[in-house]
Amino acid sequence: MASQVYEFQAQARQLLDLMVHSIYSNKDSFLRELISNSSDAVDKLRLEGLRNKDLDADISDLHIRLTPDSEARTLTVADNGIGMTRDEVIDLIGTVAKSGTDELRRKLAENDAADASDLIGQFGIGFYSVFMVADRVELLTRKAGETVGTRWESTGDGTYTLDEVADAPQGTSITLHLKPVDEENAVHDYANQMVLRGLVKKYSDFISWPIRMQVTKQVPGEGDAEPTVEEVDETLNSQKALWAKNPSEVSKEEYAEFYRHVSHAWDEPLETISVHAEGTFEYQALLFIPTQAPFDLFMPEQSTGIHLYVKRVFIMDDAAELMPVYLRFVQGVVDAADLSLNVSREILQQDRQIRAIRRRLVKKVIAAVQEIQTQRPEDYQTFWANFGRVFKEGLINDQDNAQAILKASVFASTQNETEPTRLADYVTRMKPEQDVIYYMTGESRTQIERSPHLEAFRAKGIEVLLLSDPVDEVWVSAIPDFDGKKFVSVAKGVVDLDGADDEADDETKSKRDEEFAPLLSWMGETLTDEVTEVRLTNRLTESAACLVGDDFSMTPQLEKLYRASGQEVPRSKRILELNPDNALVSALAGKFGTADDHTDLESTAKLVYAAAVLAEGGDLEDPAEVAKLLAETLTQSLG
């Protein structure tokens, strides 16, 4: 088949341009990316060879090889791993991280070039980094078990060519035609053996497959014979699995490089968690909490970052059974001793050992978050800003650890405008007679703070949690209490704050209730399509009215979430509470008491209800009708 020329995907051309113009501050990173990709390819072939005994592939000496040529100014990184088909080459190299392309472009548009290297690293496009150091790149690959290979070539100018190759070796080799050395711009001599040896030791020493390079060595002659020069293979990496080492033997830099290897990220790990379990179930784990959230954290196809090994043999790179969804940001490796090498996802789901490992790892991660919270406040702020919304999903999905997750979480409150609070601290600040934790949910902190529901709580100095994440709408109904203190919504049920101060005068309250009873009854009938009841309130100090649900009703925000997810739920009718001390309500009650015909007051009643909806940031069912009523009422008031 003749050579065929293809155009890169439009977004890929933009990224290639970014690479050529030196977005990365560290050009050496290209080698780490290529070696990591080769390691993954060898892992996959080893596993396929164990699973498929009929696979026509050589797995006797799996390795990665570096071949520098100082005269030709080239560097070849090759492996004898799984290889790629022609279609896979087009899919994996001719296009870019499909689901995140538009998101990447948006983020790049919002950030300066100084921040772009961090952003690019989040999008899993490490192969493109080769164009930082190469003017032309050739890739030769053959899928294990197939007879025909594919040659890919590009200068990074927006196009690439593909050829069929009949005699291609198994695996993948990438040859870089290197740019001139430019020490001022950190482009080193990547055809130099000493440079390569140092980079492998720095970035890829832990790779479990041998990274070889042919070197020239002088061999002493026997007796009076002259020394001879021989070409020998030198293994550049120690191949020591970091998860098997004692943490005291591993440097922070080594852990950071291993984290980048397994996560294909470019940030530093915020926390490293080493686990060595012996006894009934033997396994080792090395987990990392990242510093930055990946771009696809909230995408449906987002995968977990746990790589599963069995006796150092790679099994899968997305072992979702080992880590719950709410900890999907955790990256790392688990190496089990007693699982079958031919383990499948179906077996994992049913395996008792896997479930036991998962329980232990989850507790370790939550404990690590708690330790960061108490001992490293600044790091905890970073964690919460990136992963707090995801972490709180565990309050819904992991009842066994809900209390531990609550302790490791923080929440906005009326106590402090800038710093969120731990629930333990909230409890210590509770008034002596207060025995519940008050909260309110909403679409944003600003919306909640403007809500009339908070008026009496502010007046009495009672702290209220301000919960504005979508997940908050769900977990507050799933978790009954914290430290024995029940969670109570300020927008549901009957809130009795009289106990917080002096006892209200019962006689005065009784007289007031009797005075307003006719108005409340009439408004309840007038607004029967909108509300279930109209009653007096003690949660308002300024506003005329507010809407509250009963103890077990859905909030308007939760109804919106269900509808947004495609689930139709009926609109809930709620209770309208009136403030008897408000001038509008007092005037309405006075006019109601003196009028024989209350028809003219129906518009006012409907407007009071509409104002209550708007005050809490809600949506009116018929805004046009409300606007019409408002215009008529204003016209009448002006004579």
Side-chain angles (χ1 to χ4, degrees):
M1 181 182 293
S3 297
Q4 291 183 289
V5 179
Y6 294 81
E7 285 193 1
F8 280 104
Q9 186 187 50
Q11 293 87 347
R13 289 198 300 272
Q14 295 176 11
L15 290 170
L16 286 170
D17 185 64
L18 290 170
M19 297 297 177
V20 171
H21 289 87
S22 303
I23 275 186
Y24 284 111
S25 58
N26 184 0
K27 308 295 190 301
D28 298 343
S29 302
F30 84 92
L31 186 60
R32 176 179 63 196
E33 289 299 305
L34 294 186
I35 291 176
S36 289
N37 290 342
S38 290
S39 176
D40 291 344
V42 176
D43 278 339
K44 290 173 182 176
L45 179 60
R46 171 74 180 279
L47 179 61
E48 187 62 25
L50 292 170
R51 288 177 171 173
N52 181 5
K53 299 302 182 184
D54 297 325
L55 180 68
D56 183 16
D58 182 9
I59 61 172
S60 61
D61 182 27
L62 298 176
H63 62 275
I64 301 163
R65 180 177 293 278
L66 306 185
T67 306
D69 187 330
S70 57
E71 292 185 6
R73 293 289 302 146
T74 62
L75 168 64
T76 300
V77 180
D79 65 72
N80 56 351
I82 194 72
M84 291 181 281
T85 64
R86 181 188 183 91
D87 289 342
E88 287 172 338
V89 170
I90 294 173
D91 187 48
L92 296 175
I93 299 179
T95 59
V96 174
K98 296 166 262 312
S99 62
T101 298
D102 292 336
E103 177 75 359
L104 173 59
R105 293 173 65 194
R106 181 183 68 78
K107 285 186 175 292
L108 285 173
E110 293 174 355
N111 286 265
D112 296 330
D115 300 323
S117 61
D118 290 334
L119 282 171
I120 292 220
Q122 295 180 46
F123 283 78
I125 53 175
F127 174 79
Y128 291 85
S129 63
V130 294
F131 289 100
M132 295 187 299
V133 300
D135 292 318
R136 180 162 60 93
V137 178
E138 299 175 60
L139 178 147
L140 180 62
T141 184
R142 177 171 65 84
K143 184 88 169 187
E146 299 201 357
T147 57
V148 177
T150 302
R151 176 183 287 111
W152 177 100
E153 184 174 348
S154 178
T155 58
D157 60 356
T159 63
Y160 59 91
T161 61
L162 288 179
D163 294 284
E164 276 192 3
V165 180
D167 56 349
Q170 170 191 303
T172 301
S173 68
I174 300 172
T175 299
L176 283 64
H177 294 263
L178 297 167
K179 293 181 178 180
V181 176
D182 184 357
E183 295 293 347
E184 183 176 343
N185 291 310
V187 178
H188 302 132
D189 185 0
Y190 301 110
N192 184 298
Q193 291 184 352
M194 291 297 294
V195 171
L196 296 175
R197 187 180 286 109
L199 292 179
V200 170
K201 187 67 178 176
K202 179 178 181 180
Y203 292 121
S204 306
D205 191 56
F206 49 80
I207 296 293
S208 57
W209 302 104
I211 302 172
R212 297 172 183 162
M213 181 170 64
Q214 196 168 69
V215 297
T216 302
K217 287 192 174 182
Q218 192 176 64
V219 180
E222 295 183 4
D224 296 331
E226 292 290 326
T228 59
V229 175
E230 295 183 4
E231 297 288 334
V232 297
D233 275 346
E234 178 183 339
T235 299
L236 305 180
N237 59 323
S238 68
Q239 305 173 60
K240 180 68 173 178
L242 257 65
W243 61 85
K245 288 187 174 183
N246 188 308
S248 63
E249 300 174 356
V250 185
S251 69
K252 182 178 178 181
E253 290 73 21
E254 287 177 306
Y255 275 141
E257 287 306 325
F258 185 74
Y259 158 73
R260 296 187 187 105
H261 168 67
V262 297
S263 66
H264 292 283
W266 297 67
D267 58 324
E268 295 280 333
L270 189 69
E271 180 71 0
T272 301
I273 305 168
S274 180
V275 182
H276 291 255
E278 299 179 350
T280 307
F281 299 139
E282 292 188 7
Y283 63 91
Q284 298 164 326
L286 185 57
L287 307 179
F288 302 94
I289 297 176
T291 300
Q292 296 179 351
F295 77 97
D296 59 350
L297 187 61
F298 291 99
M299 291 184 178
E301 65 271 24
Q302 202 274 345
S303 59
T304 57
I306 304 301
H307 299 238
L308 176 62
Y309 286 73
V310 175
K311 301 173 184 175
R312 308 284 177 86
V313 177
F314 171 79
I315 301 297
M316 63 182 67
D317 58 5
D318 176 23
E321 294 78 10
L322 283 168
M323 196 63 65
V325 175
Y326 73 93
L327 296 179
R328 57 186 176 273
F329 54 85
V330 176
Q331 304 286 327
V333 166
V334 175
D335 188 354
D338 299 322
L339 290 177
S340 164
L341 290 177
N342 201 30
V343 67
S344 66
R345 288 196 178 278
E346 291 73 22
I347 295 173
L348 279 184
Q349 292 167 2
Q350 302 167 15
D351 190 270
R352 184 165 63 98
Q353 181 178 354
I354 289 294
R355 292 196 297 271
I357 294 173
R358 171 180 167 131
R359 285 194 298 270
R360 172 86 181 276
L361 297 182
V362 168
K363 291 185 182 299
K364 283 282 189 180
V365 173
I366 296 174
V369 173
Q370 289 179 341
E371 183 176 345
I372 296 172
Q373 183 190 57
T374 56
Q375 299 185 15
R376 292 148 49 197
E378 290 187 5
D379 285 345
Y380 181 79
Q381 289 178 9
T382 299
F383 167 81
W384 195 254
N386 282 278
F387 307 113
R389 286 175 58 193
V390 176
F391 189 63
K392 285 191 292 184
E393 292 175 11
L395 297 172
I396 305 167
N397 303 324
D398 189 354
Q399 292 296 308
D400 291 340
N401 293 297
Q403 290 297 316
I405 296 171
L406 279 176
K407 289 180 181 178
S409 300
V410 291
F411 306 91
S413 86
T414 54
Q415 170 71 16
N416 192 310
E417 292 185 1
T418 57
E419 295 293 330
T421 183
R422 298 187 306 165
L423 290 181
D425 295 333
Y426 177 104
V427 171
T428 62
R429 292 191 296 265
M430 287 170 53
K431 291 184 174 295
E433 58 280 346
Q434 183 183 344
D435 60 356
V436 300
I437 298 173
Y438 289 110
Y439 72 89
M440 184 172 180
T441 60
E443 294 183 356
S444 69
R445 176 174 183 142
T446 300
Q447 180 208 71
I448 299 172
E449 288 181 320
R450 291 175 178 173
S451 171
H453 296 89
L454 298 179
E455 291 177 359
F457 292 87
R458 283 200 186 95
K460 295 180 181 292
I462 298 175
E463 185 176 357
V464 178
L465 300 180
L466 310 176
L467 308 179
S468 57
D469 289 332
V471 68
D472 294 329
E473 291 286 350
V474 184
W475 76 256
V476 289
S477 300
I479 307 297
D481 62 72
F482 171 77
D483 196 23
K485 305 293 189 297
K486 185 180 177 182
F487 291 104
V488 173
S489 170
V490 302
K492 286 186 179 182
V494 177
V495 174
D496 185 5
L497 300 180
D498 289 339
D501 286 323
D502 296 332
E503 287 291 330
D505 184 77
D506 291 338
E507 184 177 345
T508 301
K509 288 180 62 179
S510 178
K511 184 177 180 181
R512 186 188 65 182
D513 292 344
E514 183 178 342
E515 176 187 346
F516 278 87
L519 173 64
L520 300 178
S521 177
W522 172 80
M523 287 188 69
E525 294 175 2
T526 302
L527 301 173
T528 187
D529 292 337
E530 288 83 13
V531 301
T532 58
E533 178 188 356
V534 181
R535 69 190 184 198
L536 296 182
T537 186
N538 64 355
R539 74 182 87 211
L540 298 177
T541 60
E542 299 175 2
S543 301
C546 68
L547 288 165
V548 301
D550 61 38
D551 291 330
F552 303 103
S553 65
M554 282 189 190
T555 64
Q557 290 77 23
L558 186 56
E559 289 182 11
K560 285 182 183 179
L561 286 175
Y562 276 115
R563 294 191 186 100
S565 67
Q567 301 183 54
E568 278 303 320
V569 293
R571 187 178 292 272
S572 301
K573 293 198 296 184
R574 293 187 292 159
I575 301 163
L576 179 65
E577 291 191 348
L578 301 182
N579 178 7
D581 298 323
N582 179 270
L584 172 59
V585 175
S586 298
L588 179 59
K591 192 164 186 179
F592 180 86
T594 58
D596 294 328
D597 185 1
H598 302 127
T599 304
D600 292 343
L601 297 178
E602 290 182 2
S603 295
T604 304
K606 291 179 180 179
L607 288 175
V608 169
Y609 166 77
V613 173
L614 294 174
E616 67 178 12
D619 299 323
L620 296 169
E621 283 195 66
D622 192 348
E625 175 64 18
V626 172
K628 179 181 176 182
L629 289 175
L630 182 59
E632 292 173 351
T633 303
L634 290 173
T635 301
Q636 291 175 5
S637 69
L638 293 173

